[in-house]
Amino acid sequence: QAKREGRGCFRRFTAALDEQIQRSRRLEADLRECIATASGLEVYYQPLFATAGETLAGMEALARWHHPEFGLLQPADFIPVAEESGLIVPLGKWVLEQACTMMARWPDISLAVNFSPVQLREEALVHDVLEILVRSGLAPERLQLEVTEGAILDTDKAVRDRLTALRATGIKIVLDDFGTGYSSLTHLQKFDVDKVKIDKSFVHDISSDSESVAIVHAVTGLARVIGIPVTAEGVETAEQRNMLRAIGCTELQGFLFSRPLSPDDAARFLSGTTKWTNAA
Ligand code: C2E
Ligand code: MG
Ligand code: MG
Ligand code: MG
């Protein structure tokens, strides 16, 4: 009896696994097609605000995919598939080109684009990024590449050399999701980064958990010593905003201020907010 149940359980398990593999294969094939035809993919933009005065400081590009059958997919649904298949390389270039072209129309504010470790391992990275900047007319100083610690901890020296080469052109390197993963304050000092973004998990817990408060304090304090700005992502409440402001975070981003905006909404937002301030 138990044996039969066990076998049934195993069958259900392999069936679920099978389904997952099938879905991944399907997503990969569909994504390949959508990249080739530039259809169904879109870049959303989420504003970042300078804490003092809450002035618009920049926009972060976030990929979206309108799948013909599954509907609107979020990065968590397709970025892993893109990374495993290598499709993240052409996808990343497409996102960068879209975002640079869009933001070149709006002077002054910065553009942040997320880069996966897989993209950083590409030999043509520096060449491709610079080519896209030239084509779109966006000044390198306005571009911020958001990378995670895992990416710059890469033992591959070539990756670090590529980041150095990008920085030499004026492009900024931002350490995203700081506090997760391997995280260590010493990484902030050891690697040349231009900005650090505190992961939203700490922001989420900041009003209830003293450990999160301590971490945000420590990161902000060290960043101040090194002389780089600190962004807090995932700010959802006025209480969180007030605490982060008091601690001294220099930039805030989150649903409290704005959700990621479609290209049309982002353009409306940029042309409508004459002083680019947000009173949230
Ligand atoms: P991330 O770069 O850390 O981006 C922040 C994520 O938090 C975004 O999710 C954003 O929509 C979400 N978010 C913003 N404000 C709030 C808030 O107040 N509360 C909560 N709960 N969430 C908030 P999204 O767009 O689903 O992107 C998830 C991740 O996927 C990104 O994390 C980034 O690592 C990756 N990603 C997105 N677009 C790209 C891309 O074009 N290329 C690469 N390589 N990765 C991307
Ligand atoms: Mg990011
Ligand atoms: Mg982040
Ligand atoms: Mg994050």
Side-chain angles (χ1 to χ4, degrees):
Q1 177 67 30
K3 204 171 182 180
R4 192 175 301 157
E5 256 171 44
R7 227 180 267 141
C9 203
F10 182 69
R11 233 176 270 129
R12 273 195 300 281
F13 172 73
T14 50
L17 196 64
D18 233 43
E19 210 172 286
Q20 211 178 311
I21 292 168
Q22 291 305 322
R23 190 180 154 97
S24 292
R25 283 209 191 113
R26 167 81 195 277
L27 283 178
E28 184 186 325
D30 294 346
L31 186 58
R32 193 180 302 277
E33 172 78 18
C34 283
I35 293 169
T37 56
S39 60
L41 296 163
E42 207 164 27
V43 180
Y44 274 48
Y45 299 88
Q46 189 180 29
L48 286 95
F49 293 93
T51 313
E54 284 170 358
T55 315
L56 182 68
M59 291 285 217
E60 179 176 5
L62 295 161
R64 297 290 183 266
W65 183 19
H66 302 271
H67 188 277
E69 191 178 316
F70 307 140
L72 178 66
L73 299 183
Q74 304 293 319
D77 301 319
F78 63 89
I79 293 287
V81 171
E83 288 182 325
E84 278 159 35
S85 59
L87 287 172
I88 191 71
V89 174
L91 175 63
K93 278 196 261 186
W94 185 84
V95 168
L96 183 66
E97 176 127 30
Q98 290 291 307
C100 288
T101 306
M102 149 92 173
M103 292 307 292
R105 293 165 46 207
W106 309 97
D108 304 329
I109 58 171
S110 63
L111 165 67
V113 179
N114 294 284
F115 267 58
S116 124
V118 178
Q119 291 170 270
L120 302 183
R121 288 200 282 271
E122 276 291 293
E123 207 185 312
L125 173 81
V126 179
H127 170 270
D128 290 347
V129 170
L130 295 182
E131 194 174 64
I132 289 170
L133 282 176
V134 169
R135 245 199 328 259
S136 63
L138 191 94
E141 293 75 17
R142 292 180 57 196
L143 181 62
Q144 306 186 343
L145 297 190
E146 297 199 355
V147 300
T148 52
E149 274 164 295
I152 58 168
L153 273 177
D154 205 306
T155 43
D156 190 358
K157 186 174 174 294
V159 169
R160 274 176 281 139
D161 287 347
R162 266 170 223 136
L163 291 174
T164 305
L166 289 170
R167 274 187 102 219
T169 71
I171 294 170
K172 310 282 188 300
I173 305 297
V174 179
L175 208 45
D176 202 353
D177 300 341
F178 194 78
T180 60
Y182 310 82
S183 265
S184 155
L185 284 176
T186 59
H187 294 158
L188 265 192
Q189 247 171 331
K190 213 160 88 201
F191 300 107
D192 287 327
V193 294
D194 301 289
K195 182 160 106 179
V196 57
K197 248 179 150 171
I198 297 172
D199 190 68
K200 58 177 174 287
S201 56
F202 302 104
V203 173
H204 183 262
D205 294 343
I206 200 169
S207 49
S208 59
D209 172 28
S210 59
E211 212 170 287
S212 291
V213 176
I215 289 167
V216 175
H217 258 294
V219 175
T220 307
L222 182 58
R224 194 182 297 128
V225 170
I226 299 172
I228 58 171
V230 188
T231 303
E233 64 173 20
V235 184
E236 292 182 352
T237 70
E239 187 183 7
Q240 291 165 354
R241 176 202 59 194
N242 295 343
M243 291 181 74
L244 293 160
R245 199 189 262 160
I247 292 171
C249 288
T250 37
E251 279 176 12
L252 304 177
Q253 182 184 30
F255 295 166
L256 175 68
F257 303 99
S258 173
R259 295 204 163 243
L261 305 168
S262 71
D264 283 351
D265 285 343
R268 258 191 293 277
F269 172 85
L270 285 164
S271 53
T273 45
T274 40
K275 269 186 66 211
W276 287 333
T277 56
N278 187 308

